């Protein structure tokens, strides 16, 4: 694979072949080697199909050939369904015959022990050496309904030939890919392209996403991932989808410890840190969903609706109770449910005196006596641009024949008048009765809170699309120090950070008691004393920190205490003296760190308030580098972000300064990623607004070069 | 209503009448006065039905009577569907004719302004004075499918006559009640009794729940509430349901601020504090759900499965990917997903060498070659009693005709062998293909994580049922002080609490500087000084607290500072002197309070760690009184409960002592509820395990008697 990221052009033979050979073709359409053939025939694949089977004259009514060498033309792609040990040889034969792509359905590779791993390695080598793109092995395969190409034995395809449609699915799991395809189809959504990557000996998830990003007829990209090996390629593929303006709905499993363990036990993929995936998706315009259901609801709404301009939801019901539940759900999902203006409320009251005119707006069942009311309500409520989306709750009366037609006509008029406002409907009833709404193209949810969740998902997709994916250039500041390849004391670590513009606490390194006394006086009298040694990273473990030390005697005793403790507990450590640092009052403590992810490289972490980090694990991550806008979104993700607001006499804190610090640290991380093992700034004091932030303690651990 | 709580016997005429008159009966079956009649006729109601309509000879084929006085027998119940202003008179006429119950479908009462409120008050009076139980007004009515009694005009009933079934629905909203009925029916669940209480002029939600608790053929009680007025009656009804061993699934809307506002705007009910409802339900064996969907999923699983004995989930899949998602969902829902024993794993490996044998257990698609494998897996995994429930993920292959029959037979055998273990299935496919599973009685979910959520809901129902609802007796301790009806200083507040056995900080009230100096010496030298005045509740507002004061001079200056500040900032306040309190080191701070809910009476609140309470609003409530077991569950609800565990060198804290304190405070609250306005113990220091808790500051505000 070229380092510049996946090149989808060379997937054209795999995804849209004009001719296909099936190696190991079976006459029995229920077998792995028979199913793709039967699917191709049923779909009416317009190109040539050449079954290869040395034991039969014909296979499923087509002339069969004894070997791939005997087929009468050059196949663009081959389907390989022979036993694992025979696969490398078969793949070479395909390459010899000029095929540029292969789908290896056979299992028994990396997932099945050492021998399989060797065979898979051989498949990868052949793919690379012979320039043949390989999907699998151990994959359910792929299909492209737009070209009627069915390179799969997925049983879900049994229940109906896939039809061209706006959805493209890229899945690392065949079963989950099948489930998504089936659930989407049950919601009336056609998956035009479906790729399951299996063991990824060659083509991986990033390749599949990139292909879908480029594919003109694919509008919505649906991804299921368990863990990728090539982080930069996935990043590049997501950027590509974002630039193409295509919503990416991303289901990543392995969030929990048990889930992550299950991933590693059932695939050969590295699970990576789930939180880093969260960061990756947030940064690259993809929307992460938690369940297949959420994914399908989001795809359903996205396929039918415009994306809303903001988070202001109008809840319109023809009965009060459901509106309350919907308002609760909206609050959970951070949608705002603001009341209409007083004037608008007056106008509504003039229509139905006892109706609810705040938001949720409740027309009452009066609507069934005068269906035109719905249109009037929508017009009055939307014409001032006060709402970005509408969630409509209709009782089952609305599904009756008498009501459905006129009511849909009212909705159609509102939709035409306000084309930018998504209109999502909740209505419980048998499919035959709710059909007028689905046929008119309204996203339909049985349960009212799911309609609200769909609006929230549309909002997240909209925000992801509006946000430009910015990866800032990393300019190394003039005079920036480099990370050494030896361990660093706190003072040196802070000097390094300061050379990048990170504000660190005022301090002096004191080699003697008298130097410490002088430093304390210069720093305002009340100081922190910390043992200074590049060999002691965890100073508190040796009792190496004294806070609030004041007065000549106290500083002298403190100096002596720290050096004595260090000498007795860590006689091996080289002690430079004592770091004398100013005490900083006010504000709240944050924690900032750099971690190095094996798949995605350096990432920056932030957390707030010791208890929140320690007890609730309330931290946010982003891949380095990122700008201050991204840093602000990162901070806003924290549950504890409210600590920044003014509260009970406590002043507002300088979140902007923290965002600048995070972005600076991220650029440092990006520039020095290879040289860094980890960085831990704990605490970073966030001062009242306008007073900035200051790093009070810093541990920088260089990566020890191998050997 | 008798103060002893609802008496369901007198609802028999309302819920199971043998004869019915319809006041305002209409010949048009689409009108409010026509629909119940048409439903009764279609359902084949076996009793007498007498339409009352002065303008017609017959109504819907039945002989009509000009007035209720003319009907040829005594109706048990009347349906009233005349215009609001005519309702009181009609109701009196019904009572005159001997009816013992009425369903008032008419709207235009408390929901519709002042005049309506007066009319509704009149309805309440008639109900009480004439001993006629009234449902409504402004209700969609009720039905009892067991007796084919249809006192409703709900349009959902149009789509099929309700069938007898295990579900009983009690709803304050007609529309939400209808929605629940429809959603339950779509999941194959029959609602045998359905009651929507409307404006609750007489019969309220508690009456309806109590009736369902007593009703022999109702197994599962489903409740939708927006806000009740009679808290003790609801408590009593829930206790009744709990004693009857019936699961109560409770959907309460108005969780959010907007939702709560919407409740008050669309009904006349008091919203009350939503958190108090959470406490009420947790204490009384009901399971609160967040959405109708969750409710219906829980009812579906409960109707078909035994309740699990614990939270140990086995995830069994025939394909790895879904298992990972299910494990993630299980972690979110606090279900444990433990691996089988090594020996069990070995036995599984012997069956399918490359299958996943940790939990999630993945049989691989090998099952489709040998369907008996499923039964073997289940037997091996369940026979040691290591799991309380099974969530099974089947791909759509399992819905094929060839596979479904034999696979269901395997499940049936496992179910028969392990009858106490619920077996929940996830399988996506069209209804006609999944039918073998539903017909065999397995709860079925399209989406695998919903199957896991259903297991979690079964677990919560099981825990609610196992837990005995204990309301401890309140024994006033010997020598307990009473709450005065004048304001209390901190010292007196602590004396009051101490008389109940609540541990408060060691302290002395000092009227002079010298007394303060003596007190400080007695209390260990380092003390807190606090201005002592019954008139100054918020001491920090006047700079009235000094912490860590040490030494004669410092105490003297401190005393002077506090009294001077108080004199200048609160010249009106009566100052008793300065409270000198011991400083308590170590541990973490909790906050404990008593609040008085207008609907449910006194409740106790607990929160942990200043930041968690202030920023995350991480608090838990319980209605007073409660025992220490309930207090422990209350503490466990806190997100910050992890603070009690040993962590990074911090010792485990004395959560047990906090539980004892909470229970003590709750008994104090129950005994003195009428006399208390609020109590705020902030902070309560929770010390390392074995060292107890100590109240460091206390504010007790007596309820000022009116006048």
């Amino acid at each position: 694979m070229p380092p510049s990221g996946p090149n989808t052009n060379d997937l054209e033979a795999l995804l849209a072949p004009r001719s296909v050979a099936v190696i190991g073709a079976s006459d029995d359409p229920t077998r792995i080697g028979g199913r793709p053939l039967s699917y191709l025939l049923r779909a009416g694949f317009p190109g040539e199909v050449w079954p290869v089977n040395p034991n039969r004259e014909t296979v499923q009514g087509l002339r069969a050939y004894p070997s791939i060498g005997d087929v009468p033309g050059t196949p663009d792609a081959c389907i390989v369904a022979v036993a694992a040990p025979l696969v490398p040889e078969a793949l070479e034969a395909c390459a010899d015959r000029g095929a540029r792509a292969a789908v290896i359905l056979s299992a028994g590779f990396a997932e099945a022990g050492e021998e399989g791993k060797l065979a898979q390695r051989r498949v990868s080598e052949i793919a690379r050496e012979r320039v043949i793109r390989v999907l699998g092995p151990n994959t359910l395969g792929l299909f492209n309904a737009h070209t009627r190409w069915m390179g799969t034995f997925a049983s879900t395809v049994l229940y109906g030939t896939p039809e061209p449609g706006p959805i493209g699915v890229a899945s690392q799991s065949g079963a989950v890919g099948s489930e998504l395809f089936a659930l989407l189809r049950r919601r009336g959504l056609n998956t035009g392209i479906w790729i399951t990557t299996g063991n990824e000996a060659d083509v991986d998830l990033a390749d599949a996403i990139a292909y879908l990003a480029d594919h003109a007829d694919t509008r919505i990209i649906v991804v299921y991932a368990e863990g990728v090996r090539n982080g930069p390629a996935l990043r590049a593929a997501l950027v590509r989808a974002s630039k193409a303006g295509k919503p990416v709905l991303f289901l990543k499993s392995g969030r929990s410890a048990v889930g992550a363990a299950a991933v590693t036990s059932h695939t050969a993929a590295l699970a990576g840190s789930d939180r880093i995936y969260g960061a990756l998706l947030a940064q690259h315009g993809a929307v992460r969903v938690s369940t297949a259901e959420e994914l399908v609801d989001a795809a359903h709404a996205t396929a039918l609706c415009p994306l809303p301009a903001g988070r202001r939801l109008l809840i319109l019901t023809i009965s009060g109770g459901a509106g309350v539940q919907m308002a609760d759900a909206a609050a959970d999902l951070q949608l705002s449910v603001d009341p209409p203006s007083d004037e608008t409320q007056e106008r509504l009251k003039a229509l139905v005196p006892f109706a609810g005119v705040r938001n949720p707006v409740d027309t009452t069942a009066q609507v069934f006596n005068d269906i035109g009311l719905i249109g009037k309500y929508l017009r009055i409520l939307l014409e001032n641009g006060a709402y970005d989306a509408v969630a409509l709750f209709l009782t089952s009366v609305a599904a009756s024949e008498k009501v459905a037609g006129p009511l849909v006509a009212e909705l159609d008029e509102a939709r035409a008048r306000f084309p930018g406002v998504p209109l999502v409907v909740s209505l419980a009833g048998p499919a035959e009765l709710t059909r007028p709404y689905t046929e008119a193209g309204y996203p339909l949810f049985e349960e009212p809170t799911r309609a609200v969740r769909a609006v929230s998902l549309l909002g997240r997709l909209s925000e992801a699309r509006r946000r430009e994916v910015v990866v800032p250039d990393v300019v190394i500041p003039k005079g920036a120090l480099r990370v050494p390849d030896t361990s660093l004391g706190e003072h040196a670590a802070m000097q390094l950070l300061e050379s990048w513009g990170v504000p660190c606490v005022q301090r002096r390194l004191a080699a003697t008691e008298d130097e410490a006394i002088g430093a304390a006086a210069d720093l305002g009298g009340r100081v922190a004393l910390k043992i200074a040694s590049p060999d002691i990273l965890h100073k508190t473990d040796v009792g190496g920190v004294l806070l609030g030390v004041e007065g000549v005697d106290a500083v002298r005793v403190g100096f002596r205490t720290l050096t004595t403790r260090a000498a007795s507990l860590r006689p091996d450590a080289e002690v430079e003296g004592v770091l004398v640092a100013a005490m900083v009052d006010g504000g709240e403590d944050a924690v900032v760190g750099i971690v190095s992810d094996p798949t995605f490289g350096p990432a920056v972490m932030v957390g707030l308030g010791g208890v929140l980090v320690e007890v609730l694990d309330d931290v946010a991550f982003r891949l380095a580098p990122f700008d201050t806008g991204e840093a602000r979104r990162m901070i806003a993700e924290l549950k504890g972000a409210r600590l920044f607001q003014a509260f009970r006499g406590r002043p507002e804190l300088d979140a902007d300064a923290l965002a600048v610090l995070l972005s600076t640290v991220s650029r440092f991380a990006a520039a020095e990623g290879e040289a860094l093992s980890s960085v831990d700034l704990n605490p970073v004091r966030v001062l009242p607004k306008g007073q900035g932030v200051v790093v009070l303690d810093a541990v920088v651990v260089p990566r020890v070069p191998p050997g």
Side-chain angles (χ1 to χ4, degrees), chain A:
Chain A
M1 205 162 6
S4 61
N7 172 356
T8 60
N9 293 338
D10 62 1
L11 287 194
E12 208 53 30
L14 181 69
L15 266 302
R18 284 149 308 167
S19 51
V20 176
V22 182
I23 322 298
S26 168
D27 197 50
D28 178 350
T30 71
R31 304 194 57 150
I32 290 185
R35 229 181 230 175
L37 203 52
S38 79
Y39 290 164
L40 283 163
L41 294 172
R42 189 182 59 176
F45 177 67
E48 297 287 346
V49 180
W50 297 303
V52 173
N53 182 327
N55 305 318
R56 298 185 62 96
E57 289 288 304
T58 64
V59 170
Q60 297 191 35
L62 294 178
R63 175 167 169 204
Y65 300 87
S67 80
I68 177 73
D70 300 317
V71 303
T74 300
D76 282 344
C78 296
I79 294 170
V80 178
V82 297
L86 306 177
V87 163
E89 194 185 331
L91 185 60
E92 293 218 69
C94 294
D96 290 344
R97 190 66 191 84
R100 290 171 298 132
V103 179
I104 302 180
L105 303 178
S106 326
F109 290 84
E111 82 285 5
E114 283 311 311
E115 208 169 316
K117 272 188 194 141
L118 285 176
Q120 183 165 324
R121 203 166 307 150
R122 183 75 199 114
V123 166
S124 299
E125 282 164 11
I126 298 168
R128 200 168 49 243
E129 287 162 9
R130 306 297 304 271
V131 197
I132 178 168
R133 296 308 305 259
V134 172
L135 187 70
N138 189 28
T139 171
L140 272 188
L142 86 182
F143 66 69
N144 180 344
H146 303 280
T147 66
R148 291 180 255 166
W149 154 228
M150 304 285 136
T152 178
F153 68 104
S155 59
T156 31
V157 173
L158 264 183
Y159 307 128
T161 296
E163 303 280 342
I167 312 281
V169 172
S171 173
Q172 287 191 306
S173 154
V176 175
S178 293
E179 184 207 353
L180 291 173
F181 166 59
L183 291 172
L184 288 161
R185 186 159 58 182
R186 278 168 65 71
R187 290 303 282 274
L189 285 167
N190 284 318
T191 298
I193 296 191
W194 183 85
I195 310 169
T196 66
T197 55
N199 285 10
E200 302 190 344
D202 172 28
V203 171
D204 66 7
L205 191 71
D207 292 317
I209 295 169
Y211 186 85
L212 296 171
D214 289 351
H215 185 259
D217 294 330
T218 298
R219 278 177 44 217
I220 300 168
I221 300 176
V222 159
V223 182
Y224 173 72
E226 295 182 344
V228 301
R229 273 167 291 213
N230 186 343
L234 180 57
R235 275 182 100 156
L238 291 173
V239 169
R240 198 145 159 173
S242 171
K243 290 206 189 305
K246 297 186 183 180
V248 176
L249 293 164
F250 206 108
L251 181 60
K252 157 76 175 64
S253 64
R255 276 180 293 126
S256 64
V258 175
V263 164
T264 46
S265 78
H266 99 100
T267 69
L270 289 167
S273 159
D274 187 72
R275 286 181 133 152
I276 300 291
Y277 279 90
L280 165 81
L281 299 175
Q283 274 172 280
H284 292 83
V287 166
R288 185 172 187 174
V289 292
S290 309
T291 65
E293 180 178 278
E294 213 183 331
L295 189 153
V296 171
D297 282 359
H300 176 58
T302 310
L304 296 174
C305 283
L307 295 181
R311 303 196 138 261
R312 299 168 307 163
L313 174 66
L314 168 65
I315 299 174
L316 183 62
T317 74
I318 54 180
S319 159
V324 184
Q325 292 174 61
M326 294 166 87
D328 284 345
D332 291 345
L333 295 163
Q334 282 98 45
L335 295 169
S336 69
V337 183
D338 306 324
S341 69
D342 290 347
E343 191 217 324
T344 301
Q345 294 190 32
E346 286 308 317
R347 290 174 65 196
L348 296 177
K349 266 186 198 149
L351 291 176
V352 183
F354 294 113
V357 295
R358 297 180 62 78
N359 190 5
V361 173
D362 174 16
T363 65
T364 77
Q366 187 58 26
V367 158
F368 298 125
N369 300 324
D370 175 5
I371 288 171
L373 274 175
I374 279 280
K376 289 183 190 140
Y377 266 77
L378 284 169
R379 211 152 47 235
I380 292 171
L381 283 159
L382 296 179
E383 70 188 5
N384 298 324
Y387 299 105
D388 302 309
V390 182
L392 201 69
F393 174 79
L394 304 173
T395 64
S396 54
V397 186
S400 68
E401 224 169 305
K402 206 177 76 183
V403 175
L407 212 159
V408 166
E410 292 292 323
L411 298 186
D412 286 349
E413 207 192 300
R415 183 169 56 180
R417 194 187 281 258
F418 308 104
V421 177
L423 219 161
V424 173
V425 177
S426 169
L427 174 56
E432 61 274 21
L433 293 172
T434 58
R435 192 158 301 141
Y437 295 87
T438 48
E439 279 178 358
Y442 294 98
L444 198 69
F445 298 90
E446 243 186 27
E447 216 262 4
T449 61
R450 265 173 84 176
V452 173
R453 191 177 68 179
V455 169
S456 158
L457 288 161
L458 286 173
R460 289 174 58 202
L461 284 162
S462 178
E463 282 157 19
R465 175 180 290 191
R466 286 199 305 271
R467 187 185 311 152
E468 211 190 330
V469 176
V470 182
V471 180
D473 290 334
V474 176
V475 180
I476 298 179
K478 234 178 117 164
L481 304 175
R482 300 305 306 259
V483 176
D485 58 4
T486 55
S487 56
L488 279 171
E490 183 181 354
H491 186 52
M494 286 188 175
Q495 285 173 324
L496 172 60
L497 292 162
E498 283 168 334
S499 77
W500 276 81
V502 175
C504 297
V505 67
Q506 278 196 295
R507 67 202 179 277
R508 292 249 300 270
L509 187 58
T512 66
E513 288 174 20
D514 288 339
E515 277 180 35
I517 290 164
D522 292 351
L523 293 167
R526 200 162 140 265
V527 294
L529 299 182
K530 304 193 258 186
I531 192 72
S533 162
D535 302 324
I536 302 176
L537 292 183
H538 300 290
K539 294 182 284 288
T540 50
D541 292 355
V542 296
V545 179
L546 299 170
L547 297 177
V549 181
E550 197 165 5
V552 170
D553 291 347
V555 172
R556 190 179 301 281
V557 171
F559 188 100
R560 217 169 291 166
T561 306
L562 293 183
T563 48
T564 311
R565 281 181 186 163
S568 99
L569 291 168
R570 288 291 303 277
D572 60 305
E574 179 203 330
V575 172
E576 300 163 342
V578 165
L579 193 63
V580 183
M583 291 295 291
V584 179
D585 293 320
E588 292 279 346
D589 283 341
V591 181
V592 173
I594 300 175
V595 295
S596 189
D597 184 82
T599 307
F600 294 102
V604 175
M605 183 214 82
V606 67
L608 254 181
V611 168
L612 293 171
V613 172
E614 288 174 18
V615 176
L616 298 186
D617 209 11
D618 181 26
V619 293
F621 284 85
R622 287 294 185 277
L623 299 180
F626 51 83
D627 64 9
T628 53
E630 194 66 50
R632 269 192 290 267
R633 282 190 290 275
M634 179 184 184
I635 293 169
E637 265 178 25
L638 296 173
K639 297 189 197 88
R642 280 171 57 184
L643 265 179
F644 287 115
Q645 297 162 14
F647 184 75
R648 282 210 190 161
R650 199 166 53 193
E652 186 186 345
L653 301 183
D654 207 334
D656 287 340
L658 182 60
V660 170
L661 176 138
L662 288 167
S663 173
T664 305
V665 167
S666 83
R667 280 180 276 115
F668 167 65
E672 294 280 16
E674 293 295 312
L676 284 169
S677 175
S678 71
V679 170
D680 194 14
L681 314 183
N682 183 7
V684 175
R685 184 65 58 79
V686 185
L687 294 166
K689 197 168 176 63
Q691 297 177 35
V693 292
V694 55
V695 174
L696 297 185
D697 200 346
V699 176
V700 172
V701 183
R703 187 182 299 281
V704 180

